[in-house]
Amino acid sequence: MTDDPKLVFRPEDDCYHQLSDDPYETETNWWSFNIPERKIACWIHTPYYPNRKTVTWRIFVWDDQGIEPGRLAYYKKVEEAPMPDDPDLRDITFPNGGYSLKMLEPGMKYHLGYEDKERGFALDFTHTGVHPPHRFRPGEPPFVQTPHFDQLGHVIGTMTLRGEKIAIDGVGVRDRTWGPRGGPYQTSQKKHAPDSNRVKHPGGPLWRQIERERGRGRIDYIYGHSLDFQTGFLGFVRMQDADAKGWAPMNVGWLLKDGVFGEIDKEKSKMLNFRDPVAGWNSHMLVDLYDETGRRLEAEGQSVSRMSEGGYGLNQLMRWEMDGRIGWGEDQDVWVGDHFARMLNALRTTR
């Protein structure tokens, strides 16, 4: 999707990088896929802290039966496990019973495996890239300086859940990032106006204005792709820059149409979110996308199942209708707790 050599994923990017001595240096790998017929979605996420020589890994699976970690179909998190010296991300098993990851083809094909016999859970699948990893251009939120690569993939394998072996054959996305995270990098240094003046384009119901408050670190990451990998999109949404009707710009990402990828035109691409008046989560959304050549893709997504790990956001399995095709993907709706609590209260009082 780009010819800029600075944005190309290199074979050495499959390895951990030599970073600075900043104690907040973090390098992540993330894998996501779904099993639509069971309303199941799965995440595998692993931040490595090279200057602390520790890693935190977590695996969670959700369906429509539970939202919090204690009620998910499967959830396991191991924090700050000691890492061996010079770990090789191309062929590794993460410590303290973690998953295994092996690179089969640089930048394009990977095998992942995991087993928790006591809970009757296991993963065994390959992720094969539909395209080379795509880096968002530096200077664009949310990763203004640090590299961030995403890759759409075809995921094939099996998941064993509660002792039942379930086939996996569908859409997946992975990402890679490295650079300082957390601590001072997580707190905005900007000074903002009082809450009542935070909305760039005032208008609409109070809950939507709260949703659009600037300076709250709000971001939505959404994607959806058809199972034939011919139609779809992926991108970040700047909710705080939405207009009074609620349409928010998508500032970075890609559009896939008739099997051809294109960069999102951030001046034209946008998303409109609708929320459940009781729970506050996204019930459905409209996406209107253009790429830089002028091609257009309109999509409507419905929330199918969801999970919230720490109360600061919600991840949702989404069913998409796009250009006459059905697709599947996610909505990662990120907020801070007090921001969401105020928005939820406004939703409930305006029913």
Side-chain angles (χ1 to χ4, degrees):
M1 287 178 278
T2 178
D3 296 324
D4 188 337
K6 295 180 180 179
L7 304 179
V8 173
F9 191 88
R10 305 161 299 171
E12 53 265 39
D13 289 328
D14 272 322
C15 305
Y16 283 124
H17 296 78
Q18 186 66 43
L19 304 176
S20 75
D21 59 1
D22 189 317
Y24 291 97
E25 288 283 15
T26 307
E27 183 152 3
T28 71
N29 68 90
W30 171 70
W31 310 82
S32 171
F33 66 87
N34 53 72
I35 306 174
E37 62 273 17
R38 301 289 292 266
K39 299 182 181 180
I40 288 174
C42 178
W43 265 36
I44 303 172
H45 185 251
T46 314
Y48 168 51
Y49 312 109
N51 296 319
R52 301 204 297 264
K53 295 187 177 180
T54 63
V55 65
T56 292
W57 60 267
R58 70 204 212 274
I59 298 173
F60 49 81
V61 177
W62 75 88
D63 54 20
D64 60 349
Q65 300 302 303
I67 298 176
E68 301 84 11
R71 299 172 58 219
L72 297 184
Y74 182 83
Y75 181 82
K76 182 68 175 289
K77 181 178 183 179
V78 172
E79 296 190 75
E80 298 280 351
M83 279 280 265
D85 292 334
D86 301 318
D88 187 350
L89 190 57
R90 297 167 300 180
D91 189 358
I92 190 172
T93 297
F94 289 96
N96 292 19
Y99 70 95
S100 64
L101 167 61
K102 186 171 184 178
M103 182 269 289
L104 303 178
E105 180 183 337
M108 293 299 292
K109 190 171 184 178
Y110 306 84
H111 176 265
L112 289 90
Y114 175 76
E115 186 174 20
D116 184 341
K117 291 183 179 180
E118 291 184 0
R119 297 177 60 186
F121 181 79
L123 292 170
D124 183 1
F125 67 88
T126 58
H127 170 111
T128 303
V130 177
H131 60 86
H134 174 242
R135 180 180 177 181
F136 295 119
R137 298 180 184 278
E140 295 281 7
F143 296 94
V144 177
Q145 296 177 332
T146 58
H148 179 103
F149 285 90
D150 277 277
Q151 182 182 47
L152 172 65
H154 187 184
V155 176
I156 298 177
T158 60
M159 170 190 292
T160 302
L161 181 62
R162 305 183 185 98
E164 177 191 2
K165 184 171 284 189
I166 305 169
I168 305 167
D169 185 357
V171 173
V173 169
R174 75 178 184 105
D175 79 13
R176 292 273 286 114
T177 68
W178 53 90
R181 275 196 187 190
Y185 300 97
Q186 195 163 325
T187 304
S188 175
Q189 303 302 309
K190 298 177 182 177
K191 294 183 179 180
H192 299 280
D195 286 351
S196 61
N197 298 325
R198 286 180 178 226
V199 180
K200 186 176 182 180
H201 304 292
L206 177 58
W207 70 265
R208 194 180 290 284
Q209 291 201 41
I210 294 171
E211 182 180 56
R212 302 201 314 271
E213 286 179 355
R214 299 173 63 77
R216 289 288 190 169
R218 291 278 293 111
I219 194 76
D220 250 74
Y221 172 84
I222 59 176
Y223 74 86
H225 289 88
S226 60
L227 295 176
D228 62 3
F229 301 99
Q230 295 297 299
T231 304
F233 66 92
L234 180 149
F236 290 89
V237 184
R238 298 283 289 169
M239 299 298 293
Q240 57 267 53
D241 290 337
D243 62 23
K245 294 182 179 179
W247 283 98
M250 290 190 68
N251 65 317
V252 289
W254 69 62
L255 179 156
L256 173 63
K257 194 174 178 72
D258 300 323
V260 179
F261 285 92
E263 297 275 353
I264 282 178
D265 183 339
K266 65 180 181 179
E267 301 300 325
K268 297 180 179 179
S269 300
K270 56 187 180 180
M271 179 270 269
L272 178 61
N273 195 21
F274 299 88
R275 292 195 177 276
D276 181 280
V278 176
W281 56 53
N282 155 36
S283 62
H284 66 287
M285 62 174 61
L286 303 177
V287 180
D288 189 7
L289 297 168
Y290 291 83
D291 71 7
E292 292 180 339
T293 68
R295 297 185 306 162
R296 187 181 188 185
L297 177 67
E298 294 183 277
E300 181 172 8
Q302 303 284 338
S303 172
V304 173
S305 61
R306 57 202 62 82
M307 73 83 61
S308 181
E309 185 183 21
Y312 60 86
L314 202 72
N315 306 320
Q316 304 191 95
L317 174 61
M318 300 290 293
R319 178 188 184 272
W320 293 96
E321 296 184 28
M322 308 169 289
D323 278 7
R325 287 186 168 95
I326 300 300
W328 295 89
E330 281 189 35
D331 165 41
Q332 296 178 30
D333 190 12
V334 181
W335 58 71
V336 294
D338 68 322
H339 177 72
F340 179 67
R342 291 176 57 239
M343 183 178 71
L344 183 57
N345 183 62
L347 270 166
R348 290 171 173 167
T349 55
T350 56
R351 289 178 62 190

